[in-house]
Amino acid sequence: QVQLVESGGGLVQAGDSLRLSCAASGRTFSAMGWFRQAPGKEREFVAAISWSGSIIYSSDSVKGRFTISRDNGKNTVYLQMNSLKPEDTAVYYCAAGDVRHPNPSLYTYWGQGTQVTVSS
């Protein structure tokens, strides 16, 4: 049975940092990614990484502040988030699949989500 379990969310102040983790079990994946969804908004792509470590990020809103990485030995993907802003507040979801891509429909498995709240 495949499972993705996220951890690391929480309530922080603007400018703080958080590191999200997503541990996969049941199989390994070519691509793992992070998405987020704020209240009343659509799910938004944040970043994705391939097995070999090739990375794509979303728009300039997170580039330079967020870093995605993975530990293939632990079957875990991470999202290091620095200089957090109130607009980063959302539920963050881990996703896994065969194609590293911003389109969420290409990911087969999803975690339950972890809340990140950034206060001003």
Side-chain angles (χ1 to χ4, degrees):
Q1 182 180 359
V2 174
Q3 275 192 311
L4 301 179
V5 179
E6 299 117 330
S7 60
L11 171 62
V12 297
Q13 292 188 332
D16 286 350
S17 298
L18 277 176
R19 190 176 82 152
L20 306 182
S21 300
C22 172
S25 60
R27 58 161 285 188
T28 58
F29 297 94
S30 297
M32 298 188 76
W34 289 97
F35 292 77
R36 66 185 182 184
Q37 189 165 17
K41 295 188 176 182
E42 293 186 352
R43 191 164 296 190
E44 174 190 21
F45 171 72
V46 176
I49 186 168
S50 69
W51 180 266
S52 63
S54 180
I55 294 170
I56 53 173
Y57 289 104
S58 68
S59 66
D60 292 340
S61 63
V62 303
K63 199 174 295 183
R65 298 190 298 121
F66 291 9
T67 302
I68 188 172
S69 61
R70 68 187 291 173
D71 184 332
N72 292 333
K74 295 182 178 179
N75 211 10
T76 299
V77 64
Y78 305 96
L79 186 68
Q80 177 67 43
M81 304 185 294
N82 298 329
S83 302
L84 282 161
K85 304 175 181 180
E87 51 263 43
D88 294 318
T89 295
V91 177
Y92 284 71
Y93 295 92
C94 172
D98 296 321
V99 180
R100 179 192 59 124
H101 199 276
N103 187 341
S105 67
L106 296 179
Y107 292 83
T108 308
Y109 299 97
W110 291 83
Q112 79 286 356
T114 185
Q115 177 70 47
V116 171
T117 303
V118 185
S119 64
S120 57

